[in-house]
Structures are given as C-alpha cells and as structure tokens.
Amino acid sequence: MSVKINPVYVRKLLAPLVLSMFAVGWYKFSEVYLVGSDKLALSNGNYAVYVVPTQMQGYLTATLWICYFLVFAGLSVFWYNTVKIVQGLEGVASSFGGVDVVSPVVIAVELDTFFYLFRGITPVDLRLIGYGVVIACLMWFWYALVKYVKVRTNG
Amino acid sequence: MVLQPVFSYGWPIVFGVFALSGFILGWSAQRGNYCFVNAMTSVFTVRSYERFGALLLLFGLSALGAGLLVGLGVIPASDQYYFNYFGGWYILVGSVIFGFGAALAGGCNLSMLYRAASGYVQNWIELFGMMIGTYIFAVGIWPFQLYTMEKGILSTTSGGYVEYLPYLIFHNVSDAGVLATTMLYSIPLIGLGIYLQARTKKKWKLMSTGNVSKGMMPSSPKVKALGRPAVPSPSTIKRMDLKGEAKDLLLLKKPYGTNLTTVILALDMLLVFIVGAGYTFNYLVITSSDGGRFFEYILFLFGQHLFLTTPWFNDSLPIVDTSTLMVVMLCVGAFFSSYLSGDFKIRIPREKKRLAIGFIGGILVGIGVRMALGCNVGLMWTNFAQIGYDGIIFIFGMLGGVYLAVKVQERL
C-alpha cells in the first residue's frame, strides 16, 4: 500500500524548517569562513578587502540575533502549519484531538533543539532553562493526555 | 577624507538596521511585484506608463528626502556625495547590457532576488548566471575599464563631490545650494511621474468607457443601519473601503499597490541613509556587487579565495559589509511574504529554453552591472538620492537595452 503525501503539506512544513536551518548555517558559515578569510586577507596585506575587527564583530553580533529570530520564526510557522494540517485531517468535529496531546511534546523538542543549537554561541548556560522546559511540557502532556482520554470516553 | 559617524551607536545596530531594511525591501517589493525592468518593458509593449511613472516618483521622493535631510543640516553633505562613483562610458554601455540581459532573463536585480526567494527557478538560474557574468567581467573587462578610469579616457578620474550636482551648479556644498538643487532635481521627477501615471489611468478609463455595462460595475457595500435607511454616505463608504483595504493588505490577502510600494521603498532608502551616515555606504544595495561576493563565498567552501588571485575581487569588495546582510534579509523578507500569503511555490518554466535564456540573461546582467559600477538599485536609484547624474545616464541606457530586448523577443 502506498501512502500519497500531499505536496502542499510538504511545502508548508519543509520551507520553514529550511529557513531555520539556513539561518543557523549562515551564522556558522560567517563565523568559520568569513572570519577565516578576513584573517587571510590581513596576513596577505590585502587591506582593500580586509574588514576591521569592530566591524566584523558587529556583523557577527547582528547575524547571531537574526539567526535567533529566524530560527524562532521558522519553527513557529512550522508548528502553526503542523497544527493546521492535523486539524484539517482530523476534521473540525473533535474539539480536543490528538494534536492537543502532541503539542507539548513538540514544543519541548522545539525549544530544547533551539537551546542545543545555540549552546555554543550564547553567553549564558541554557541547560537549566532546557530542563525546566522539559519538566513543564511533560506536566502539560500528562494533563492533555488525561483530558483527551476523558473526552473520548465520555463522547 | 574620512567619514565620521553621525549618530553614536555601534556596528551591530548598523548591520541590524541594514538587515531590517533588506527585509522590508524584500517584503514590500514582493507584495507590490515591483520590477524596474517590467516598468520599462510595459512602456514599449503596452504603452503603459503607470509603473514607469512610479519609478520616477521613487527617484524623486528619494532625492527629495535625502536632499532635505542634508539641506536642513540633519546629515552632512559629505554623506550624500562620498560614495558617488566615477562617471563615464562604462555606465552607458553597462546599463544597455544590463537592461538587455535583465529583460531577457525576466527581472531586474531586485525582482530577480524576490522572485528567486518566492520559488521561481528561472531566477535562480539568472542569479547563477550573474555570478558567472561577474567573474567574466572581473577577468576580461575590469583591467581595461580600470585603465580608462585612471587615465580619464571618457571618464571622470574621481567620484565624490566632483559628480555632486549642488557642487557642479553652485561650486560649493552649502545647505542653501543643496536645498535649491534638491528642489530643482526632485520636483520635476515627481511631477513627471504623477503626470505619466495620470495619463495612463486616463487612457485606461477611456478604453473601458462603453465596454463596461452597468451590471459589471462594482456594487456598493451593504451596510446595516438601525432606524435609518441603509444608504451610507459617500464618505462612510470611502472610510469603510479604506479600512477593508488596509485589513486585506495587512492580512496579505491583497498585493500592495504600485504607489504604496513606492512610498515604502523611498522611506526604506531614507532609513539606511540616516542610520548608515558616517559608517558605511548609506544607500540601498542589491546584488550587483553581492553577485560576485556570493560567488566568492561559495568558492570559500572549496578553499578558493578570489580576493587573492583575481582582479576586481582583490580590490573592490570587502569580505563583508552591510549589503551582505541586506541581500540575505531581502531574500528572507520576500520568502516570508510569499510564504505567508500563499504565493510561495517552486516554479519550473514549462519551456526549458526559458532556463537557458535566463542563464544567458544573467551573465549579461552580471557583466552589465559591474561595468556600470552598480545595478538599477545600487547605482541608478541610489544616484538619484545622491543628487548625481550617473542615474540619469543609467536610466537612458537601461531603457535602450530593454527596448532592444523587447525587439529581440518579438522575433524569438
């Protein structure tokens, strides 16, 4: 049996993820290749292309914050579309469906991935916040699961 | 002469605001389907001056805003003319090649980027062609062009205030001189833009009169009223229309009108003009130099550094500057607006020859913009805001190139 996937769903879900990954990739590229090339330009005495450290640092700082913004925006759009698609597939009759149970898990994974990706480039230790997110989302998950079972049982 | 920052904030703010400006540019241009080449093509194909008039409005408003900021003493005059490039034969030749290539490829440097970010594969190919074109220019044309620029052969031997119209007219850059030149320069552009748009609209109205029956006319909105007849006054209808229009624009249900986009883009130009003053090239830049820069970036991944080995790359382009983030965020802004409005889709042209034409057009765009020392945004639009004359040369050259491309395409 073959599963037919609607290409609109793929586009709606894949595009924001690609954007988030691009943002992280761009920052890493800047940090590794652009800074490296700048040092190379300086060592070769090519001052026409060399960028002074304050300017380069300004670029990296701005790129880092843009990276935060884009990852957050991309993942938010991804999750919003996921919820919309699942709601569409479930039908509108159910007021409390599977998507409400899965939501806390996805949000925990999203936030912890976010913290994991930026663990090396943020000045603060994000581990404690990550643990807090996992605990809060687990509690939310159990609450949602119980509610879901009740809704299903009682109709 | 060394520029001094006008406002005291650091480089992160400057880079951040340029990135924001790129985002606004990409978003607005995508929503307004703003394309310099289409504006010119429609002059020759359907005799419509609506979008070309909007271009003149854009140039006029940018010149007026920047000129007033300088004339009123908010920004020093040096920030307006400092990055005014050399002028010469290469601007005319380059703009003709650019106009021809861009019309063939199906988009100017601005629309190429926002369409590429909206999923148009032809514009991806055009972008790649532009990178190749930049390399061809760097190796084959730049050494000769640089020689003519240094020797002053059909070229000025410096830019800056030498090409600043207030200096050329009044032989100084006093506030009064700048204000007077700004008015002389920008008001006719704005006036001509409004006139051309009005003329086109009048033509459309005349064409539609007699062809449109009463049943096809738009109906009045239905309004519920308590204790009064449900007949709203014209001012109420107008207010409701505006409210509904604004709501539709905000919710991305409707594209932006040409003139709304024009005003947003002019304000965007003024934003970077103010924020970048004294720090960097304080105008909008699109891909003309960044086509080369991103080609160089791709080669970094393979351990190749063109700035060590290749002419133009070794003396014209810092490894990173504000335009880098501006271009990246332009694509992001265009992507977001197309994605959120439901326009985003990977589109491969049915006719495969369109891809080949896009690539060849892209190469010509790459060569043309580098010869002209900038594209339709980084040189033409920018130079109008700089109150120089290179933009005027560019607009006529580009019109010539677009006209040639229209004639060639009629035969293809």
Side-chain angles (χ1 to χ4, degrees), chain A residues 11-12 46 49 55 77 81, chain B residues 15 307 314 317 319 339 344:
Chain A
R11 195 168 69 227
K12 279 185 173 255
N46 191 340
V49 302
Q55 199 172 336
V77 171
N81 282 339
Chain B
F15 275 104
F307 67 80
N314 65 5
L317 213 57
I319 285 169
Y339 181 79
F344 181 82

Side-chain angles (χ1 to χ4, degrees), chain B residues 326-338:
Chain B
M326 186 183 272
V327 170
V328 170
M329 289 304 285
L330 185 151
C331 295
V332 171
F335 165 77
F336 260 112
S337 69
S338 66

Side-chain angles (χ1 to χ4, degrees), chain B residues 175-191:
Chain B
D175 289 350
V178 173
L179 273 179
T181 316
T182 298
M183 294 302 166
L184 283 171
Y185 192 70
S186 62
I187 299 298
L189 280 170
I190 294 170

Side-chain angles (χ1 to χ4, degrees), chain B residues 339-381:
Chain B
Y339 181 79
L340 295 176
S341 62
D343 293 344
F344 181 82
K345 191 182 174 187
I346 305 292
R347 296 172 175 92
I348 302 168
R350 281 191 193 148
E351 284 182 278
K352 294 292 174 271
K353 75 172 182 184
R354 293 300 315 163
L355 294 176
I357 292 173
F359 181 67
I360 294 165
I363 291 177
L364 292 174
V365 166
I367 294 172
V369 293
R370 289 300 4 116
M371 277 185 83
L373 306 177
C375 64
N376 53 308
V377 175
L379 192 122
M380 183 167 66
W381 175 16

Side-chain angles (χ1 to χ4, degrees), chain A:
Chain A
M1 195 182 88
S2 65
V3 180
K4 204 174 178 185
I5 300 170
N6 189 338
V8 176
Y9 294 162
V10 177
R11 195 168 69 227
K12 279 185 173 255
L13 297 179
L14 203 60
L17 287 183
V18 169
L19 177 75
S20 297
M21 285 190 288
F22 166 76
V24 176
W26 182 260
Y27 178 74
K28 280 290 169 193
F29 172 82
S30 301
E31 202 183 31
V32 175
Y33 289 96
L34 298 188
V35 172
S37 298
D38 202 38
K39 285 176 183 159
L40 189 65
L42 180 64
S43 64
N44 280 276
N46 191 340
Y47 298 105
V49 302
Y50 172 66
V51 179
V52 294
T54 50
Q55 199 172 336
M56 182 57 93
Q57 195 49 50
Y59 165 78
L60 287 175
T61 308
T63 308
L64 176 63
W65 285 103
I66 288 166
C67 181
Y68 286 144
F69 166 74
L70 291 183
V71 169
F72 182 75
L75 291 181
S76 302
V77 171
F78 169 77
W79 180 237
Y80 175 79
N81 282 339
T82 309
V83 170
K84 284 282 167 198
I85 288 169
V86 173
Q87 277 178 342
L89 291 173
E90 280 185 344
V92 288
S94 169
S95 60
F96 197 86
V99 68
D100 298 288
V101 181
V102 181
S103 279
V105 179
V106 174
I107 288 173
V109 170
E110 184 181 310
L111 285 172
D112 278 321
T113 308
F114 184 71
F115 293 145
Y116 177 78
L117 285 172
F118 293 109
R119 73 196 186 289
I121 51 176
T122 48
V124 291
D125 191 349
L126 296 171
R127 271 180 301 183
L128 271 180
I129 307 172
Y131 296 146
V133 166
V134 170
I135 290 165
C137 287
L138 269 179
M139 287 164 71
W140 180 14
F141 169 74
W142 284 117
Y143 166 78
L145 190 61
V146 170
K147 190 175 174 184
Y148 178 73
V149 171
K150 275 188 177 175
V151 167
R152 289 277 146 161
T153 311
N154 300 334

Side-chain angles (χ1 to χ4, degrees), chain B residues 5-6 49 55 108 110 123 141 176 202 272-273 296 331 354 368:
Chain B
V6 177
Y49 292 89
L55 278 189
C108 67
L110 175 61
N123 294 99
I141 301 169
K202 195 176 165 188
V272 293
F273 181 68
E296 200 174 20
C331 295
R354 293 300 315 163

